[in-house]
């Protein structure tokens, strides 16, 4: 009697190319047939993030990489990531102050747009799971990284889709950044092609909140960040 291998479940991954999404992508590649969705939305490091996300998907053997472009955030403005008139600030001198207030790098309601597109694609390809590397702790205080946000979005999916059984999962949301780095190393995630900097494209600046949190995470995990940083 011949044995049949059960096909793996499909998953859509919101893949920015950053550290957290790269580790999330490695989890997805381990557990699912993974499909990457990447967004170019007028962010300062748009080209670099696209390069990183594509590299991550290729390194992990994703079934498909779908890059989408949306210009609404650039037109709306209001964020240092999409509005050239708003400077990307250095992280506060006291790292513990990161997350005390919503920073100017917050893009208003961004993740809802990303997740909506991911749900649409999941319906088309028959995926039941959407993975996103949102992290609540050790983050910059973004309101769309809270567990309640994703609980609410899952309720919306149940009410607003044809099948109703697609779910968003956030496997990293309760982890510390250092734990995410350690998990990435354990999984063999391609962190060397990931990109987290808010302003640099050839070299990471090392001073924005995203860089500071990333560098601290690698330091606390007892390993070296493999991406290039500008000399201070």
């Amino acid at each position: 009697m011949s044995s049949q291998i059960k096909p793996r479940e499909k998953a859509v991954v919101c893949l920015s190319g950053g550290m957290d999404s790269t580790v999330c992508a490695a989890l997805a590649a381990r557990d699912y047939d993974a499909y990457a969705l990447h967004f170019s939305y007028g962010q300062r490091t748009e080209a670099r993030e696209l390069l990183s996300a594509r590299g991550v998907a290729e390194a992990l053997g994703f079934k498909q990489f779908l890059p989408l472009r949306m210009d609404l955030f650039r037109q709306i403005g209001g964020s240092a990531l999409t509005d050239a008139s708003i400077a990307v600030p250095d992280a506060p001198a006291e790292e513990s102050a990161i997350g005390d207030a919503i920073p100017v790098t917050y893009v208003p309601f961004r993740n809802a747009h990303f997740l909506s597109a991911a749900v649409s694609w999941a319906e088309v390809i028959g995926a039941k799971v959407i993975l996103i590397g949102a992290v609540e702790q050790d983050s910059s205080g973004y309101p769309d990284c809270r567990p309640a946000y994703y609980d609410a979005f899952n309720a919306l999916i149940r009410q607003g889709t044809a099948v109703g059984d697609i779910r968003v999962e956030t496997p990293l949301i309760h982890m510390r950044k250092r734990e995410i780095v350690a998990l990435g190393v354990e999984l063999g995630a391609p962190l060397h092609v990931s990109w987290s900097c808010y302003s640099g494209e050839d070299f990471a600046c090392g001073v924005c909140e995203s860089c500071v949190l990333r560098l601290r995470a690698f330091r606390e995990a007892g390993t070296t960040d493999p991406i290039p940083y500008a000399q201070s």
Side-chain angles (χ1 to χ4, degrees):
M1 185 174 68
S2 62
S3 60
Q4 292 184 337
I5 300 175
K6 184 180 179 181
R8 299 211 302 173
E9 189 175 0
K10 295 178 180 178
V12 173
V13 182
C14 292
L15 183 57
S16 70
M19 182 183 81
D20 301 331
S21 80
T22 296
V23 176
C24 185
L27 286 171
R30 183 192 67 183
D31 298 335
Y32 301 95
D33 280 345
Y35 294 73
L37 189 61
H38 176 77
F39 299 91
S40 295
Y41 56 93
Q43 67 271 43
R44 290 172 183 265
T45 56
E46 181 176 276
R48 188 62 181 81
E49 289 182 29
L50 175 60
L51 181 67
S52 289
R54 192 183 299 277
V56 169
E58 290 176 354
L60 293 172
F62 271 46
K63 298 297 182 181
Q64 188 175 345
F65 179 81
L66 178 62
L68 296 182
R69 179 177 294 277
M70 54 176 67
D71 195 47
L72 63 98
F73 293 118
R74 190 196 300 271
Q75 295 186 57
I76 291 171
S79 168
L81 297 191
T82 58
D83 188 337
S85 69
I86 304 174
V88 174
D90 291 351
E94 293 294 330
E95 290 184 13
S96 60
I98 295 176
D100 285 351
I102 297 174
V104 295
T105 50
Y106 165 65
V107 180
F109 215 51
R110 181 189 66 180
N111 285 355
H113 295 266
F114 292 176
L115 291 171
S116 294
V119 171
S120 294
W121 196 29
E123 282 203 280
V124 170
I125 67 174
K128 301 301 184 184
V129 179
I130 296 164
L131 295 173
I132 186 169
V135 180
E136 181 182 33
Q137 298 176 327
D138 285 1
S139 71
S140 294
Y142 297 127
D144 52 1
C145 289
R146 300 169 182 166
Y149 183 95
Y150 295 95
D151 292 340
F153 208 93
N154 277 326
L156 177 64
I157 293 170
R158 289 192 293 271
Q159 295 297 324
T161 56
V163 291
D165 59 351
I166 298 168
R167 65 189 184 278
V168 177
E169 295 187 354
T170 54
L172 310 180
I173 200 160
H174 296 298
M175 296 178 70
R176 297 287 185 183
K177 292 280 191 181
R178 63 176 180 273
E179 296 171 331
I180 294 169
V181 170
L183 177 60
V185 171
E186 177 186 337
L187 293 170
L191 292 167
H192 63 289
V193 297
S194 66
W195 198 257
S196 303
C197 183
Y198 288 152
S199 58
E201 294 194 86
D202 295 320
F203 296 92
C205 72
V207 295
C208 69
E209 285 190 359
S210 186
C211 280
V212 168
L213 289 171
R214 176 177 173 135
L215 284 167
R216 183 179 71 183
F218 273 87
R219 184 173 66 250
E220 292 181 349
T223 189
T224 302
D225 191 344
I227 71 168
Y229 282 85
Q231 296 296 319
S232 59

